[in-house]
Amino acid sequence: MTIGVVTFPGSLDDGDAGRAVRIADGDAVSLWHGDADLRGVDAVVLPGGFSYGDYLRCGAIARFAPIMEPLIDAAHGGMPVLGICNGFQVLCEAHLLPGALVRNDHRKFVCRDQRLRIENASTAWTSAYEKDQEIVIPLKNGEGGYVADEATLDRLETEGRVVARYLEINPNGSYRDIAGVTNERGNVVGLMPHPEHAVEELTGPGTDGLGFFTSVLESLVAA
């Protein structure tokens, strides 16, 4: 199975995301933001970084990159898409996910190993986990606060679309401690922490992030 990893100007973690795909036994395919072609991939990862320098609003310019048009169509058609950190911001700007990401409430960049609870283990990207499983993966952001109006937050809670929630500490002021959400279908997931940095024992806090990548490969085989 092939998983495309999009590189925008300013992407930092595209190489790490591709490596995580390969460790999970998938085939990583590099996709360029300026090409309106998904190259026949089975799923897509929008990695972390600072797309286009984040000079306007995080993800606001990347949302209009040529690659996004076929990606949005493919996501609506059921293709699995994972947005990590800046990629989560891009998905919100593209209206594939509700809400928005804003500057951390303490106005400082945060970098830490973050404990999370998996709230939804039935998405294309989280099926390798158990519901309520606690994991630790790195978090690094300056604009990672997830916000939405109360009606949207209530709908996400009621429909089980909160994918992961911060434990012990809320590192950025995200409403209701939300660290990640999914769309109604469960194929599009946005996550602020970085699972691609927790796929090997040698680097990072462990291998708790690997499940995001094995999950999508299993979901593609099962489809």
Side-chain angles (χ1 to χ4, degrees):
M1 296 295 177
T2 58
I3 300 181
V5 180
V6 179
T7 298
F8 297 102
S11 293
L12 298 178
D13 299 310
D14 45 343
D16 297 78
R19 189 163 178 271
V21 170
R22 291 189 290 273
I23 291 173
D25 291 329
D27 183 12
V29 176
S30 295
L31 301 177
W32 184 239
H33 73 108
D35 296 333
D37 182 4
L38 295 180
R39 298 178 58 187
V41 299
D42 301 301
V44 174
V45 174
L46 299 180
F50 302 90
S51 58
Y52 300 91
D54 289 342
Y55 291 124
L56 176 59
R57 238 181 12 254
C58 293
I61 301 176
R63 177 263 180 272
F64 293 103
I67 196 71
M68 290 301 296
E69 184 173 351
L71 187 148
I72 291 170
D73 289 342
H76 286 313
M79 176 182 282
V81 178
L82 174 65
I84 303 170
C85 195
N86 187 230
F88 187 5
Q89 296 161 343
V90 175
L91 292 178
C92 289
E93 291 289 341
H95 305 299
L96 287 173
L97 293 174
L101 284 306
V102 300
R103 184 169 295 280
N104 296 348
D105 58 352
H106 47 72
R107 300 296 187 265
K108 295 179 181 179
F109 187 87
V110 60
C111 183
R112 67 190 311 272
D113 291 338
Q114 178 67 48
R115 184 171 293 279
L116 305 174
R117 182 174 60 240
I118 300 297
E119 300 277 332
N120 183 336
S122 62
T123 77
W125 297 93
T126 57
S127 60
Y129 301 100
E130 297 292 332
K131 187 180 185 308
D132 296 327
Q133 182 175 344
E134 296 183 9
I135 65 173
V136 177
I137 61 177
L139 172 79
K140 50 177 187 175
N141 64 70
E143 299 188 353
Y146 181 77
V147 298
D149 60 50
E150 286 298 313
T152 297
L153 292 170
D154 288 343
R155 186 170 67 253
L156 291 174
E157 300 277 11
T158 301
E159 296 176 358
R161 290 169 53 195
V162 176
V163 169
R165 210 180 301 266
Y166 297 117
L167 293 179
E168 296 178 353
I169 185 174
N170 185 324
N172 45 37
S174 290
Y175 290 1
R176 303 192 188 182
D177 300 328
I178 292 174
V181 300
T182 184
N183 65 344
E184 295 92 336
R185 193 168 180 172
N187 62 301
V188 178
V189 168
L191 186 73
M192 185 48 56
H194 288 259
E196 77 279 15
H197 294 328
V199 295
E200 287 186 300
E201 292 289 353
L202 181 63
T203 58
T207 61
D208 284 355
L210 188 58
F212 284 88
F213 303 95
T214 58
S215 291
V216 72
L217 293 172
E218 291 171 2
S219 74
L220 291 170
V221 170

